[in-house]
Amino acid sequence: MGGLDDLYKEIILDHYRSPRGEGEIAEATVSVDQNNPMCGDEIHLALKIEDDRLVEVAHTGHGCSISRASASMMSELTPGTTVDEALDLVEHFRLVMHSETDPDGERLKDAVALEGVQKFPARIKCALLGWMALKDALQTHRDGGQQ
Ligand code: ZN
Protein backbone atom coordinates (compact mmCIF):
# COMPACT_ATOMS: atom_id res chain seq x y z
CA MET A 1 0.00 0.00 0.00
CA GLY A 2 3.07 2.22 -0.46
CA GLY A 3 1.34 5.15 -2.13
CA LEU A 4 -1.11 5.50 0.67
CA ASP A 5 1.72 6.51 2.98
CA ASP A 6 1.83 9.79 1.12
CA LEU A 7 -1.68 10.51 2.31
CA TYR A 8 -0.82 10.34 5.93
CA LYS A 9 0.85 13.62 6.13
CA GLU A 10 1.57 15.09 9.47
CA ILE A 11 -1.29 17.55 9.21
CA ILE A 12 -3.83 14.78 8.61
CA LEU A 13 -2.50 12.75 11.51
CA ASP A 14 -2.64 15.77 13.73
CA HIS A 15 -6.33 16.28 13.01
CA TYR A 16 -6.97 12.58 13.41
CA ARG A 17 -5.25 12.45 16.78
CA SER A 18 -6.64 15.75 18.07
CA PRO A 19 -9.94 16.22 16.28
CA ARG A 20 -11.30 19.74 16.31
CA GLY A 21 -14.99 20.12 16.94
CA GLU A 22 -15.42 16.63 18.34
CA GLY A 23 -18.36 16.40 20.70
CA GLU A 24 -22.04 17.15 20.99
CA ILE A 25 -24.07 20.32 21.03
CA ALA A 26 -26.64 20.46 23.82
CA GLU A 27 -29.27 22.32 21.82
CA ALA A 28 -28.40 21.75 18.21
CA THR A 29 -30.38 23.50 15.50
CA VAL A 30 -30.00 20.52 13.21
CA SER A 31 -28.14 17.22 13.26
CA VAL A 32 -27.58 14.46 10.73
CA ASP A 33 -26.00 11.04 10.52
CA GLN A 34 -24.10 9.86 7.49
CA ASN A 35 -21.96 6.89 6.72
CA ASN A 36 -19.66 5.59 4.07
CA PRO A 37 -20.31 1.84 3.85
CA MET A 38 -17.37 1.34 1.48
CA CYS A 39 -15.00 2.04 4.36
CA GLY A 40 -17.16 1.82 7.47
CA ASP A 41 -16.88 5.52 8.29
CA GLU A 42 -19.70 7.06 10.31
CA ILE A 43 -20.37 10.60 11.42
CA HIS A 44 -22.95 12.34 13.54
CA LEU A 45 -22.84 16.05 12.81
CA ALA A 46 -24.64 18.73 14.79
CA LEU A 47 -24.91 22.44 14.04
CA LYS A 48 -26.06 25.42 16.00
CA ILE A 49 -27.26 28.09 13.60
CA GLU A 50 -28.23 31.59 14.65
CA ASP A 51 -29.27 34.36 12.26
CA ASP A 52 -28.25 32.22 9.27
CA ARG A 53 -24.74 31.81 10.67
CA LEU A 54 -23.05 28.67 11.98
CA VAL A 55 -22.09 29.36 15.55
CA GLU A 56 -21.19 25.79 16.56
CA VAL A 57 -20.16 22.75 14.54
CA ALA A 58 -19.63 19.46 16.37
CA HIS A 59 -19.20 15.89 15.31
CA THR A 60 -18.79 12.42 16.71
CA GLY A 61 -18.19 9.19 14.86
CA HIS A 62 -15.59 6.71 13.90
CA GLY A 63 -13.79 5.64 10.81
CA CYS A 64 -10.50 5.87 9.00
CA SER A 65 -8.00 8.63 9.58
CA ILE A 66 -8.97 10.39 6.35
CA SER A 67 -12.64 10.63 7.26
CA ARG A 68 -11.99 11.70 10.84
CA ALA A 69 -9.28 14.22 9.92
CA SER A 70 -11.47 15.68 7.19
CA ALA A 71 -14.40 16.12 9.59
CA SER A 72 -12.04 17.82 12.01
CA MET A 73 -10.79 20.20 9.31
CA MET A 74 -14.32 20.98 8.18
CA SER A 75 -15.47 21.75 11.70
CA GLU A 76 -12.49 24.02 12.23
CA LEU A 77 -13.25 26.00 9.07
CA THR A 78 -16.97 26.50 9.25
CA PRO A 79 -17.91 28.11 12.59
CA GLY A 80 -18.63 31.79 11.95
CA THR A 81 -19.58 31.33 8.31
CA THR A 82 -23.06 31.94 6.95
CA VAL A 83 -25.09 29.05 5.61
CA ASP A 84 -24.33 30.18 2.04
CA GLU A 85 -20.61 30.51 2.70
CA ALA A 86 -20.53 27.04 4.24
CA LEU A 87 -22.38 25.56 1.25
CA ASP A 88 -19.93 27.29 -1.12
CA LEU A 89 -17.02 25.88 0.82
CA VAL A 90 -18.47 22.37 0.68
CA GLU A 91 -18.88 22.71 -3.08
CA HIS A 92 -15.31 23.96 -3.49
CA PHE A 93 -13.94 21.06 -1.46
CA ARG A 94 -16.06 18.59 -3.43
CA LEU A 95 -14.73 19.94 -6.73
CA VAL A 96 -11.16 19.74 -5.43
CA MET A 97 -11.65 16.12 -4.38
CA HIS A 98 -12.97 15.30 -7.85
CA SER A 99 -10.02 17.12 -9.47
CA GLU A 100 -12.39 19.61 -11.07
CA THR A 101 -10.76 22.69 -9.62
CA ASP A 102 -7.54 23.74 -7.94
CA PRO A 103 -7.64 24.03 -4.17
CA ASP A 104 -7.90 27.52 -2.73
CA GLY A 105 -5.53 27.37 0.21
CA GLU A 106 -6.90 30.57 1.71
CA ARG A 107 -10.31 28.98 2.03
CA LEU A 108 -9.38 25.39 2.77
CA LYS A 109 -6.47 25.95 5.16
CA ASP A 110 -5.50 22.56 6.65
CA ALA A 111 -7.96 20.76 4.39
CA VAL A 112 -5.57 21.43 1.50
CA ALA A 113 -3.59 18.51 2.91
CA LEU A 114 -6.35 16.22 1.67
CA GLU A 115 -5.75 17.16 -1.95
CA GLY A 116 -3.65 14.04 -2.43
CA VAL A 117 -6.67 11.88 -1.65
CA GLN A 118 -8.01 12.64 -5.14
CA LYS A 119 -5.44 10.16 -6.48
CA PHE A 120 -7.16 7.39 -4.52
CA PRO A 121 -10.76 7.18 -5.75
CA ALA A 122 -11.80 4.74 -3.04
CA ARG A 123 -10.83 7.25 -0.39
CA ILE A 124 -12.58 10.30 -1.84
CA LYS A 125 -15.82 9.33 -0.11
CA CYS A 126 -13.90 9.14 3.17
CA ALA A 127 -12.64 12.69 2.71
CA LEU A 128 -16.05 13.97 1.65
CA LEU A 129 -18.13 12.32 4.37
CA GLY A 130 -18.06 15.15 6.91
CA TRP A 131 -18.60 17.75 4.21
CA MET A 132 -21.55 15.94 2.70
CA ALA A 133 -22.99 15.63 6.21
CA LEU A 134 -22.59 19.39 6.55
CA LYS A 135 -24.34 19.99 3.24
CA ASP A 136 -27.15 17.64 4.27
CA ALA A 137 -27.52 19.41 7.62
CA LEU A 138 -27.57 22.86 6.03
CA GLN A 139 -30.12 21.83 3.44
CA THR A 140 -32.25 20.18 6.10
CA HIS A 141 -32.11 23.42 8.06
CA ARG A 142 -32.96 25.47 4.98
CA ASP A 143 -35.89 23.27 4.16
CA GLY A 144 -37.23 23.97 7.61
CA GLY A 145 -36.62 20.39 8.71
CA GLN A 146 -35.82 19.52 12.28
CA GLN A 147 -34.54 16.44 13.95
ZN1 ZN B 1 -12.70 5.88 5.24
Side-chain angles (χ1 to χ4, degrees), residues 4-139:
L4 273 178
D5 291 344
D6 295 333
L7 293 178
Y8 293 84
K9 292 176 185 163
E10 213 40 55
I11 199 162
I12 296 175
L13 281 175
D14 181 58
H15 276 270
Y16 177 59
R17 289 175 181 141
S18 314
R20 280 59 140 181
E22 189 168 55
E24 298 277 358
I25 297 175
E27 292 183 24
T29 308
V30 60
S31 63
V32 297
D33 293 284
Q34 290 221 346
N35 67 88
N36 170 22
M38 297 287 289
C39 182
D41 308 316
E42 295 181 12
I43 186 169
H44 174 79
L45 178 72
L47 307 177
K48 189 159 202 170
I49 301 172
E50 288 174 0
D51 298 328
D52 208 43
R53 195 171 286 275
L54 283 67
V55 293
E56 267 188 86
V57 178
H59 61 96
T60 56
H62 60 86
C64 67
S65 56
I66 298 290
S67 74
R68 299 303 295 146
S70 187
S72 168
M73 292 163 179
M74 180 278 292
S75 66
E76 185 172 57
L77 284 172
T78 46
T81 63
T82 65
V83 170
D84 280 337
E85 286 166 350
L87 286 168
D88 283 349
L89 192 64
V90 169
E91 181 60 9
H92 176 64
F93 185 74
R94 190 187 70 79
L95 291 172
V96 169
M97 281 297 110
H98 289 290
S99 308
E100 290 173 29
T101 193
D102 291 327
D104 180 342
E106 291 284 308
R107 297 176 73 190
L108 293 178
K109 305 222 165 60
D110 284 0
V112 165
L114 292 166
E115 186 189 6
V117 174
Q118 61 186 214
K119 296 196 294 274
F120 302 90
R123 310 306 297 279
I124 291 174
K125 282 197 166 132
C126 302
L128 283 174
L129 181 67
W131 301 70
M132 291 300 109
L134 176 62
K135 184 177 179 180
D136 184 20
L138 293 171
Q139 287 176 338

